[in-house]
Amino acid sequence: MAIPLILAIDTCEVTCSAALVSGGHTLARRSERLGRGHAERLLPMVSDLLAEASRSFEDLSRLVVSTGPGTFTGLRIGLSVARGLAVAKGIPCVGLMSLPVMAAQAGETGGVIHAIVMGRGGQGFYQAFEGLAPNGLPAQLGPAACLDAEVIAEMIASRPGAVVGSGASLVGAVASIDSVDPSMLGQLGASIEPDMYPPEPAYLRDADAKKGKALLPTEQ
């Protein structure tokens, strides 16, 4: 039986990235900080990855895509490409938020990992993790939410730990991990259920942001 070939895509912030993952190994990977131009770059990037790995679109068995939070346009591009390929090939497509993916990139720290994605107006998208859930994803300590920087700083102070993500500067931290690694995205999404993790965008509307609306359930 052939080992599944997974294509992972992330376009939720300034970085446009993709990776081919199979059997827990990365066959090919690309990551470019574009700011703009994700739509023009993504499909050629995927084609380059397949050529590098001597594979074709027909070999793909699963799509994994980051669902945000992030820019409205960036999210739509990645999700549209992933869902379109999945429908065309008749294969599963799953979505994962960037917050748990970046927390997983930090590895086993032995403590709390605070993930923050930069928002607007002094706000950030925040979620804390510690240990692993039964499905292999970082275990959530609470729901993801859009919060003021001061609130995030207070939450981190109450449970000190590592900080990851593009919004680290909101709390005066410097993060070595500030974007999604598509290889990690692909590995985490390799076996999760599409029904539990659909490829749906996780951006917040202004009205929701004022209420700090949760982006994820607290149970996994």
Side-chain angles (χ1 to χ4, degrees), residues 23-111:
H25 301 286
T26 300
L27 305 184
R29 178 185 181 279
R30 294 281 192 283
S31 184
E32 300 177 9
R33 288 184 177 268
L34 299 178
R36 295 183 178 182
H38 293 68
E40 294 78 13
R41 187 69 190 101
L42 182 56
L43 280 175
M45 179 182 288
V46 171
S47 295
D48 290 344
L49 291 175
L50 290 167
E52 180 180 333
S54 299
R55 303 294 182 92
S56 71
F57 283 103
E58 298 301 324
D59 296 321
L60 295 175
S61 54
R62 173 176 284 227
L63 274 293
V64 184
V65 61
S66 59
T67 59
T71 65
F72 179 75
T73 301
L75 283 176
R76 287 196 306 168
I77 292 167
L79 286 165
S80 295
V81 169
R83 290 188 294 207
L85 287 174
V87 170
K89 302 303 176 186
I91 57 177
C93 182
V94 299
L96 281 174
M97 284 184 62
S98 58
L99 298 169
V101 177
M102 289 188 289
Q105 290 168 218
E108 290 292 336
T109 65

Side-chain angles (χ1 to χ4, degrees), residues 11-218:
T11 59
C12 60
E13 294 192 81
V14 298
T15 302
C16 179
S17 61
L20 287 173
V21 177
S22 183
H25 301 286
T26 300
L27 305 184
R29 178 185 181 279
R30 294 281 192 283
S31 184
E32 300 177 9
R33 288 184 177 268
L34 299 178
R36 295 183 178 182
H38 293 68
E40 294 78 13
R41 187 69 190 101
L42 182 56
L43 280 175
M45 179 182 288
V46 171
S47 295
D48 290 344
L49 291 175
L50 290 167
E52 180 180 333
S54 299
R55 303 294 182 92
S56 71
F57 283 103
E58 298 301 324
D59 296 321
L60 295 175
S61 54
R62 173 176 284 227
L63 274 293
V64 184
V65 61
S66 59
T67 59
T71 65
F72 179 75
T73 301
L75 283 176
R76 287 196 306 168
I77 292 167
L79 286 165
S80 295
V81 169
R83 290 188 294 207
L85 287 174
V87 170
K89 302 303 176 186
I91 57 177
C93 182
V94 299
L96 281 174
M97 284 184 62
S98 58
L99 298 169
V101 177
M102 289 188 289
Q105 290 168 218
E108 290 292 336
T109 65
V112 178
I113 300 173
H114 303 275
I116 313 168
V117 168
M118 184 69 75
R120 295 181 178 180
Q123 292 186 319
F125 301 99
Y126 167 81
Q127 192 171 27
F129 306 86
E130 186 173 18
L132 293 176
N135 62 4
L137 295 177
Q140 306 169 24
L141 295 180
C146 183
L147 303 170
D148 290 335
E150 294 80 3
V151 176
I152 297 174
E154 291 173 1
M155 297 180 75
I156 293 175
S158 68
R159 300 195 68 172
V163 178
V164 299
S166 61
S169 60
L170 288 171
V171 295
V174 177
S176 59
I177 298 168
D178 63 358
S179 62
V180 168
D181 179 351
S183 296
M184 179 62 74
L185 177 64
Q187 291 168 14
L188 292 175
S191 58
I192 60 176
E193 292 296 327
D195 290 343
M196 293 292 294
Y197 293 89
E200 299 294 340
Y203 43 67
L204 291 180
R205 299 181 180 88
D206 290 342
D208 295 331
K210 292 176 182 177
K211 296 182 288 186
K213 181 182 177 182
L215 296 176
L216 279 179
T218 56

